């Protein structure tokens, strides 16, 4: 009989994780399930940091950012002995493990699922880089944070007739940069999927500013492509337009989830508990054409 469900958040936290946990607990309890919170991701599973959750004390934090279960990266999970210990730790205590996280967390869920700890993986990352889902929990809030940052940046950049480079997160995925660029009509967007050589960047920016200095002189770039300080210097020398660079950093990952992330969290919570009741395990949850779907957890 399925009775005890464990939940953990792993990798980078994402806004909406708390809303999702709240809904999993709420719908879980309604369905006579015991919901256990595992603290600090897979590390907590290894160290037996497990506590029974109750939805009464969760409503206050249900719409806050971050994850109250805390998160961690736990590369040690690649080690078979560590996984074996986790399987021993969870035996008779947890029937199903819900893993909320990004790509790395999915790999962990897959490995434990193979070792007979049934897992359900839920996409929780601002990067929106998980195959099989159109959106991930936290993406829309991070996008909103970036858009607000660009609006602020534009005010000061425009006042000085400057070019500004804004670096955003995304790891190896340019979706945040691309969407923010569309939302703010930035002059240029550089993503891992469409890297642009420095010479080409300078050519494009020179062309845009040829007649008059543009009012939209924002270049948005995904992290880990160029050293943005150096790039700003080079652009300034070549275009003779003052250029500044800003890395948005972890600010974009925080804050209360926007409505869309809260609604996604609610729908995913409900769908996941329904799946559990149907004993459909070893699954990933996703969003397709606006609907919550599930598909097999596999490589
Ligand atoms: O995966 C989420 C993410 O925010 C990435 O966009 C970023 O590259 C990474 O996490 C940063 O990780 P950390 O918080 O460990 O510095």
């Amino acid at each position: 009989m399925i009775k005890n469900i464990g939940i953990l958040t792993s990798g980078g936290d994402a806004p909406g994780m708390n809303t999702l946990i709240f809904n999993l607990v709420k719908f879980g309890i309604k369905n006579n399930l015991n919901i256990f919170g595992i603290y600090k991701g897979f590390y907590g599973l290894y160290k037996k940091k497990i506590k029974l959750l109750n939805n009464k004390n969760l409503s206050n934090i249900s719409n806050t950012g971050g994850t109250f279960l805390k998160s961690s990266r736990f590369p040690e999970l690649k080690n078979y002995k560590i996984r074996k210990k986790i399987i021993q730790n969870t035996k008779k205590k947890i029937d199903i493990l819900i893993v909320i996280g990004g790509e790395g967390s999915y790999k962990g869920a897959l490995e434990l699922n193979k070792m007979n700890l049934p897992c359900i993986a839920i996409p929780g990352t601002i990067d929106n880089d998980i195959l099989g889902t159109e959106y991930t929990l936290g993406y829309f809030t991070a996008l909103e944070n970036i858009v607000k940052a660009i609006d602020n940046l534009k005010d000061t950049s425009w006042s000085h007739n400057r070019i500004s480079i804004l670096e955003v997160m995304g790891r190896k995925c340019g979706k945040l940069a691309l969407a923010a660029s569309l939302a703010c009509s930035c002059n240029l967007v550089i993503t891992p999927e469409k890297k642009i050589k420095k010479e080409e960047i300078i050519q494009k920016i020179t062309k845009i500013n040829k007649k008059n200095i543009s009012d939209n002189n924002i270049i948005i770039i995904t992290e880990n492509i160029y050293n943005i300080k150096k790039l700003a210097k080079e652009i300034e020398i070549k275009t003779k337009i003052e250029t500044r660079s800003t890395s948005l950093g972890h600010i974009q990952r925080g804050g209360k989830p926007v409505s869309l992330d809260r609604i996604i969290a609610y729908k995913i919570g409900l769908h996941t508990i329904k799946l559990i009741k149907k004993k459909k395990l070893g699954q990933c949850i996703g969003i397709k054409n606006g609907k919550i779907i599930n598909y097999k957890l596999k490589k």
Side-chain angles (χ1 to χ4, degrees), residues 12-13 73 125-127 129 169-171 176 223-224 250 253:
D13 59 281
R73 303 194 192 270
T125 165
I126 64 164
D127 299 335
D129 60 347
M169 284 184 169
R171 252 170 18 114
L176 276 173
E223 61 186 346
N224 308 321
H250 289 80
R253 213 164 77 185

Side-chain angles (χ1 to χ4, degrees), residues 284-299:
C284 301
I285 309 291
I287 302 171
K288 201 174 175 190
N289 300 326
K291 291 223 155 41
I292 308 296
I293 54 151
N294 51 278
Y295 53 98
K296 203 168 183 294
L297 174 65
K298 57 176 192 231
K299 208 174 173 188

Side-chain angles (χ1 to χ4, degrees), residues 20 68 117 156 201 236 239 246 261:
L20 173 59
F68 80 94
L117 173 59
T156 164
I201 296 173
E236 184 169 291
T239 60
T246 308
D261 275 325

Side-chain angles (χ1 to χ4, degrees), residues 64 119 127 138 160-161 175 230 234 238 242 253:
T64 54
C119 291
D127 299 335
H160 289 263
N161 277 340
K175 285 186 190 161
K230 274 192 187 163
E234 286 175 49
K238 294 276 167 53
E242 269 192 321
R253 213 164 77 185

